[in-house]
Amino acid sequence: MPRLALITEFDGTEFSGFQSQKNGRAVQDVLETALGTLFKEDIRLTGCSRTDAGVHARCHLSHADVPFVIPEDKVPMAMNALLPDDVAVKEAFYAREDFSARFDIKGKRYVYRIYNSHNPSPLHARYSYFCPYDLNMDAMRTAAGFFAGEHDFEAFCAAGGSQNTFVRRLSEVSVRQSSSCDEMIEIEVKGEAFLYNMVRIIAGTVLEAGMGRIPADSVGEIIESRDRQRAGKTLPACGLTLEEVYFDGLDARLR
Amino acid sequence: MPRLALITEFDGTEFSGFQSQKNGRAVQDVLETALGTLFKEDIRLTGCSRTDAGVHARCHLSHADVPFVIPEDKVPMAMNALLPDDVAVKEAFYAREDFSARFDIKGKRYVYRIYNSHNPSPLHARYSYFCPYDLNMDAMRTAAGFFAGEHDFEAFCAAGGSQNTFVRRLSEVSVRQSSSCDEMIEIEVKGEAFLYNMVRIIAGTVLEAGMGRIPADSVGEIIESRDRQRAGKTLPACGLTLEEVYFDGLDARLR
């Protein structure tokens, strides 16, 4: 059967996350329903990331085996005609038969957005977390600087995950002002793989360093402590967007 | 009584517009309820613009007479604690007693956003109109160039307004690519005052010029014709944001 890969964008506000679960509206369900209509049989998708309820994605990768070929350049428009406004297929391609959106990805890039001003912004509320306190950007950058590399991230993992190990490798955690909005701070996290709520806890720790609640210099020790109590709070899902998924597109494609 | 001026931001998606009306949830109602709680009596607001249902505002001006003075720098936070997430007070000041948010404004700046790509974007859908067709930016700019100056804009007014004259003065209509998103086209309209649906019909005409449905060179004749049938379609409200209100802040403030 042809293996179809989809790159999708979704507004996570009204979703329980990507992955199907007993309760709640999952992105996977909505995409599988549209695929089922298009291909006239039940289709099962595998995603690159479960994503938490409320988290957004600009570039989520998934794959499914389909019973026949619809030209890949026709798939997005056909799917988008069937999908609700909060999820869309941006690109589709036929992949080699053993390509996996889950196992063949090399990493992901997330951005956590903090709207930092005295008053909230209704026009930014859906895609950011509002923080009215003065933030020290230097302290946030110092805190962010401790995360790159391979570490045991147990201090940055919410209870409820099912991992065998807490060791993960991050290639970069950085802090910047948004180029399009002066009040928006973006915490960018790039890595191979992530623990449950890991990016939101890293963002919370960097934010608390900016507020002076956590000494920026102590973040290395907090990582080493493997103590969830010492890291910052888990920030709300609305501020988080999966911006990019890294995979070898040439290797993935059916030739 | 002290006259309080408010600069507010709102996400128009769930509102029937700024102005109170028999049915629907108006921004004015929500603000008046918060003012009533804060000042412990019924307060009546006057706005700079009614705004259509679904239209957003980054900077809407209104005023109200209030029974006592709460320091103006405390008003936004006090109001925002009472307001829903889709409306916020960004700034408040006490105005001279005859200042009117309706009559003392010198103009307004609107931006109509068009997301122009083959596939829709769920993360931009709330604040833009999706257009999948190839657009000729030069033709859009040519069409936009006809609007500046004083004209009878009857061709750009929806039925249902209550104006005495269709003559309005626009200082600028321009078209640009957004600095933060390559697929986003922004049609900016600045003017003293506007007719019912005027910006959305101007945007629709500029868009149809970009699609080749209306010859860009004919827009001057369309204005002169005063014939609503010759202008473009009224684009959906979600793409429109009131970005700025022009008034003399020094003259407006109580001294």
Side-chain angles (χ1 to χ4, degrees):
Chain A
M1 286 175 93
R3 178 156 288 192
L4 180 66
L6 300 176
I7 293 172
T8 55
E9 177 179 320
F10 55 85
D11 177 322
T13 312
E14 306 290 333
F15 284 110
S16 59
F18 181 83
Q19 190 163 291
S20 295
Q21 47 190 79
K22 276 178 191 154
N23 298 306
R25 174 178 178 254
V27 178
Q28 180 179 353
D29 302 334
V30 166
L31 287 169
E32 286 176 354
T33 300
L35 284 168
T37 303
L38 208 58
F39 288 99
K40 298 178 179 64
E41 68 178 53
D42 286 352
I43 309 273
R44 182 82 181 161
L45 263 183
T46 299
C48 69
S49 166
R50 302 193 306 179
T51 77
D52 297 341
V55 171
H56 315 290
R58 209 177 303 277
C59 204
H60 186 281
L61 178 73
S62 52
H63 79 259
D65 291 325
V66 294
F68 54 87
V69 169
I70 293 173
E72 59 188 24
D73 60 326
K74 306 291 184 201
V75 170
M77 200 176 294
M79 287 283 287
N80 291 334
L82 298 167
L83 289 167
D85 287 347
D86 52 357
V87 53
V89 175
K90 306 297 279 189
E91 197 189 328
F93 63 89
Y94 287 95
R96 58 178 163 79
E97 65 181 8
D98 59 344
F99 174 74
S100 166
R102 182 164 172 209
F103 296 110
D104 286 334
I105 66 165
K106 299 187 188 311
K108 286 176 274 188
R109 180 169 67 87
Y110 286 93
V111 172
Y112 196 94
R113 292 183 172 81
I114 296 169
Y115 184 78
N116 182 40
S117 184
H118 293 301
N119 301 117
S121 169
L123 293 173
H124 286 108
R126 203 170 173 93
Y127 305 113
S128 62
Y129 170 62
F130 169 54
C131 174
Y133 306 107
D134 287 337
L135 296 179
N136 180 333
M137 288 284 277
D138 287 337
M140 293 176 77
R141 290 198 176 99
T142 299
F146 287 96
F147 291 100
E150 189 171 278
H151 301 284
D152 183 315
F153 282 103
E154 187 168 359
F156 298 85
C157 180
S162 56
Q163 62 289 319
N164 298 317
T165 167
F166 295 100
V167 176
R168 294 291 185 274
R169 175 178 286 280
L170 297 183
S171 53
E172 193 185 335
V173 177
S174 58
V175 180
R176 61 174 180 243
Q177 190 183 41
S178 162
S179 59
S180 59
C181 174
D182 287 347
E183 292 81 22
M184 195 70 81
I185 296 171
E186 299 179 339
I187 302 173
E188 185 170 81
V189 181
K190 295 182 199 172
E192 290 174 355
F194 298 86
L195 298 164
Y196 187 42
N197 282 354
M198 180 171 164
V199 181
R200 290 159 60 187
I201 302 171
I202 289 175
T205 305
V206 170
L207 177 64
E208 288 185 41
M211 293 162 69
R213 287 190 189 166
I214 289 177
D217 288 336
S218 73
V219 172
E221 290 161 39
I222 293 172
I223 296 171
E224 280 174 33
S225 76
R226 300 190 296 164
D227 178 359
R228 173 72 192 88
Q229 300 304 315
R230 292 192 59 190
K233 288 188 182 137
T234 306
L235 295 187
C238 63
L240 187 60
T241 304
L242 170 59
E243 292 284 345
E244 204 171 350
V245 175
Y246 302 114
F247 64 97
D248 184 339
L250 271 181
D251 171 68
R253 272 169 205 273
L254 185 69
R255 270 162 293 193
Chain B
M1 287 174 92
R3 179 156 288 192
L4 180 66
L6 300 176
I7 293 172
T8 55
E9 177 179 321
F10 54 85
D11 177 321
T13 311
E14 305 290 334
F15 285 110
S16 59
F18 181 84
Q19 189 164 290
S20 296
Q21 48 191 76
K22 277 177 194 155
N23 299 306
R25 175 179 178 255
V27 178
Q28 180 178 353
D29 303 334
V30 166
L31 288 168
E32 286 176 353
T33 300
L35 285 168
T37 304
L38 208 57
F39 289 99
K40 299 176 179 64
E41 67 178 52
D42 286 352
I43 309 274
R44 182 82 181 158
L45 264 182
T46 300
C48 69
S49 166
R50 303 194 302 180
T51 76
D52 298 340
V55 172
H56 315 290
R58 208 177 304 277
C59 204
H60 186 280
L61 178 73
S62 52
H63 78 260
D65 292 325
V66 294
F68 55 87
V69 168
I70 292 174
E72 59 189 25
D73 60 327
K74 305 291 185 202
V75 171
M77 203 176 291
M79 288 282 289
N80 292 334
L82 299 166
L83 289 168
D85 287 347
D86 53 357
V87 53
V89 175
K90 305 299 279 188
E91 197 190 329
F93 63 89
Y94 288 95
R96 59 178 162 78
E97 65 181 8
D98 59 343
F99 173 75
S100 167
R102 181 164 173 206
F103 296 110
D104 287 335
I105 66 165
K106 299 187 188 312
K108 284 174 277 188
R109 178 169 68 87
Y110 286 94
V111 172
Y112 196 93
R113 292 183 172 80
I114 296 169
Y115 183 78
N116 182 41
S117 184
H118 292 301
N119 300 117
S121 169
L123 293 173
H124 286 108
R126 202 168 173 94
Y127 306 113
S128 63
Y129 170 63
F130 169 54
C131 173
Y133 305 107
D134 287 336
L135 296 178
N136 180 333
M137 288 285 277
D138 287 338
M140 293 177 77
R141 290 199 176 97
T142 298
F146 287 97
F147 290 100
E150 189 171 277
H151 301 284
D152 184 315
F153 281 103
E154 188 168 358
F156 298 85
C157 180
S162 57
Q163 61 289 319
N164 298 316
T165 167
F166 296 101
V167 176
R168 293 290 185 276
R169 174 177 287 279
L170 297 183
S171 54
E172 193 184 334
V173 178
S174 58
V175 180
R176 61 172 180 247
Q177 191 182 41
S178 163
S179 59
S180 59
C181 175
D182 287 348
E183 292 80 22
M184 194 71 81
I185 295 171
E186 300 179 340
I187 302 173
E188 184 170 81
V189 182
K190 295 182 196 172
E192 292 173 353
F194 298 86
L195 299 163
Y196 187 45
N197 281 355
M198 180 170 162
V199 180
R200 290 160 59 187
I201 301 171
I202 289 174
T205 305
V206 170
L207 176 64
E208 288 185 41
M211 292 162 67
R213 288 191 189 164
I214 289 178
D217 288 336
S218 74
V219 172
E221 290 161 37
I222 293 172
I223 296 172
E224 280 174 32
S225 76
R226 301 189 296 163
D227 179 358
R228 174 71 192 89
Q229 299 305 315
R230 292 193 56 190
K233 288 190 183 136
T234 306
L235 294 187
C238 63
L240 186 60
T241 304
L242 170 60
E243 293 283 345
E244 204 173 350
V245 175
Y246 301 113
F247 64 99
D248 184 340
L250 272 180
D251 172 67
R253 273 169 205 274
L254 186 68
R255 272 162 294 192

